[in-house]
Amino acid sequence: MATMHDVARRAGVSVSTVSYVLTGTRPISAATRDRVLEAMAELGYQPNAMARGLASRRSNIVGLLLPLTGRALGATETAFVTGATEAARQAGYHLMLCPVGPGDTDELQVLATQGLLDGFLVMEVGLTDQRVDLLRTLDSPFVLIGRTADTDGLACVDIDFEQTVEDAVAHLVGLGHQAIAYVNHSSASLAGGYGPAKRTELAFEAALERHGITGVMVPTEDTASGGRAAIRQAREQCPELTGVLVMNENAALGILADLRESGLEVPYDVSVVSMVTSEVVADLASPPLTAMTSPGTALGAAATRVLLDRLTGDAGDPTYTELVPCVLDVRGTSGPARPRTRPTKAAPGRR
Amino acid sequence: MATMHDVARRAGVSVSTVSYVLTGTRPISAATRDRVLEAMAELGYQPNAMARGLASRRSNIVGLLLPLTGRALGATETAFVTGATEAARQAGYHLMLCPVGPGDTDELQVLATQGLLDGFLVMEVGLTDQRVDLLRTLDSPFVLIGRTADTDGLACVDIDFEQTVEDAVAHLVGLGHQAIAYVNHSSASLAGGYGPAKRTELAFEAALERHGITGVMVPTEDTASGGRAAIRQAREQCPELTGVLVMNENAALGILADLRESGLEVPYDVSVVSMVTSEVVADLASPPLTAMTSPGTALGAAATRVLLDRLTGDAGDPTYTELVPCVLDVRGTSGPARPRTRPTKAAPGRR
DNA sequence: ACGTTTTGTCGAAACGCTTCGACGAAGCGT
DNA sequence: ACGCTTCGTCGAAGCGTTTCGACAAAACGT
């Protein structure tokens, strides 16, 4: 590997001059610049990342804090990651995946103090999250993807759950639905203070009231069978329901299957809207899911930009919060509400 | 941040002694070791990753080369990533996600020469892959997750497609199926030399011959609608088919939906086995998919171990290849073959 | 008791870069 | 022609480690 010394010698300049050409820190005459550039090209010179990092105390690497549950990531999380990675790359940064969950403070402590990372992107943020506290006291720059209960002084990028729920409910109400169920994350998530679960619960209640309709919320596991259980429970608690809002993609498919097996046709008898859903999964269902598509890639990219702005010093507001709602994609599982008579077996031929 | 100097002063030893305590490179008496350790603890000392990297020319970071298509990663790929990340962490390494596809040689050239990464894990390997050639000429240590056409002198970890196809076919044959379709990746993938597509095609043909049964292979897009199109085409080409093997999870769901809509009941009329499938997606379907579950996490971990062995020098065979077959998980979509009469509308009550 | 090895520690030289102060050479106004 | 600023470049001092050669002190064999 050629070093800066080699380049300097070949171009007949000093090492520092080469450095200035590279970093643009000081003005260099066009003539010498060209000579240096040429020498670099001839030698196939590539600056050493470690040396640069040591001297400048910035690595151009940001860490992505992501609890690795052992189970696969959802499509939404994956989109976050790819969005963030791509955005970082375009800004000349690298992205390091760090399996650090809300409780792994020791891990994070090490990561943040060993000087490898310039800043952090924090995913899967709980309403109270030790990682946030730690990063704050260490004052490492960081941006949350998600939100804690108290976002004072924090930079956050998140899905606008309130708006998303409202939009979804409005869609159903617009189709004439008067009784809707909301199938939320598990009660464990709710109790554990998982932000999206809590926020959507509140938003759902608010939306019901605003539109003057009735509804129930049912928490359930994020699996197909969880969805099945939830829809049964919902129909029991609220037999007249014609609309279902469901938080989790997997649960959504379970609901669809269960309704079908119960002799109810979607969307003729019941409409289903899936929240925070990726297109791939929506298209997996048949009919394809009407869904609030999660802006995963965009969020990841936005978070990265916010963090990078902070790092390069031209930081604006340190309390910057950017909320992006999911957008409604009407596909095959939502339609006009049936009149409020007890549904008979679905009329054939309708789909 | 405390430095080694601080620790050395506090413990009353030289800097190099502190270093030896940390790295174990040379013997240190128990007494001084304890003193040094104590000083570290008191100061909350944390070695600087950059300085260490510069001096030792190893970063303890490995890069994961992964084309980011813009679309979300599949569950299998995600499992690879998490498995690799976790395994790296346990060995004291970090994992950096690098969006570098088979063609992005410039990107990779930079990554490999800037000295940030000790080695590479290469994902989504094509039958011929420029990344492999480049890494080879730069002689950076690397391990493939997947295989090129010619694996001479390469370290690979991959799914054992041949075995997986054979197992799947054997499962169907064991249930009495005599005519099976294989819904493969798209013809573009096949033409582009995508390893899994090609290998499974050959393995399927071999399995047909070995078992003395008939079948067709239909390439299709990796989407639900791709699956629908494929199953139609397959039934046209081979009306007597009772078994379907499908490469892609998304396509599998499409196939299930299409069969149901055609009045065929799974698994009574047709059995479906999904290849290289994750449990989450398998459970999304109803009935849940009988599948060859992909050992994603295990593969990622295995690849990492192989790479790390190579890095730490106690490398064994540089041509080490580890093949792991998917394992058959019988769920709800496979069952005994129907007698070979033309099926009438499925008898009710059966499932 | 003697050389000889082994053990434990030290000082200093890298590692390849950034950055700071210095300084001659131009360019400016007057 | 004069000092004054600006421009372009240089040398050297770090950045925080690892690692190598050296060297007392202790342990060994005879």
Side-chain angles (χ1 to χ4, degrees), chain B residues 4 16 19-20 26 45 48 55:
Chain B
M4 258 177 94
S16 46
S19 176
Y20 294 135
R26 286 195 186 179
Y45 169 74
N48 179 298

Side-chain angles (χ1 to χ4, degrees), chain A residues 4 16 19-20 26 45 48 51 55:
Chain A
M4 259 178 100
S16 47
S19 176
Y20 294 135
R26 285 194 187 179
Y45 169 74
N48 180 299

Side-chain angles (χ1 to χ4, degrees), chain A residues 126-127 184-198 201 217-222:
Chain A
L127 278 186
N184 200 339
H185 285 293
S186 70
S187 25
S189 294
L190 272 166
Y194 183 56
K198 200 65 193 168
E201 175 179 19
M217 188 202 78
V218 183
T220 196
E221 296 302 316
D222 296 343

Side-chain angles (χ1 to χ4, degrees), chain B residues 100-117:
Chain B
V100 174
D104 307 338
T105 46
D106 293 353
E107 285 277 349
L108 181 53
Q109 168 93 273
V110 171
L111 277 175
T113 49
Q114 80 186 337
L116 219 204
L117 270 13

Side-chain angles (χ1 to χ4, degrees), chain B residues 105-189:
Chain B
T105 46
D106 293 353
E107 285 277 349
L108 181 53
Q109 168 93 273
V110 171
L111 277 175
T113 49
Q114 80 186 337
L116 219 204
L117 270 13
D118 289 347
F120 294 92
L121 256 25
V122 187
M123 281 185 67
E124 304 278 308
V125 183
L127 279 187
T128 109
D129 196 309
Q130 300 190 45
R131 294 175 297 178
V132 172
D133 303 334
L134 181 54
L135 287 174
R136 213 170 199 171
T137 71
L138 293 175
D139 68 18
S140 307
F142 66 103
V143 171
L144 304 184
I145 304 185
R147 276 172 289 169
T148 50
D150 173 18
T151 63
D152 258 22
L154 298 181
C156 310
V157 170
D158 198 3
I159 293 175
D160 188 339
F161 289 105
E162 286 77 6
Q163 186 66 51
T164 301
V165 168
E166 167 56 25
D167 290 351
V169 171
H171 171 60
L172 288 172
V173 169
L175 289 167
H177 297 270
Q178 293 291 316
I180 40 189
Y182 172 41
V183 177
N184 201 339
H185 286 291
S186 69
S187 26
S189 294

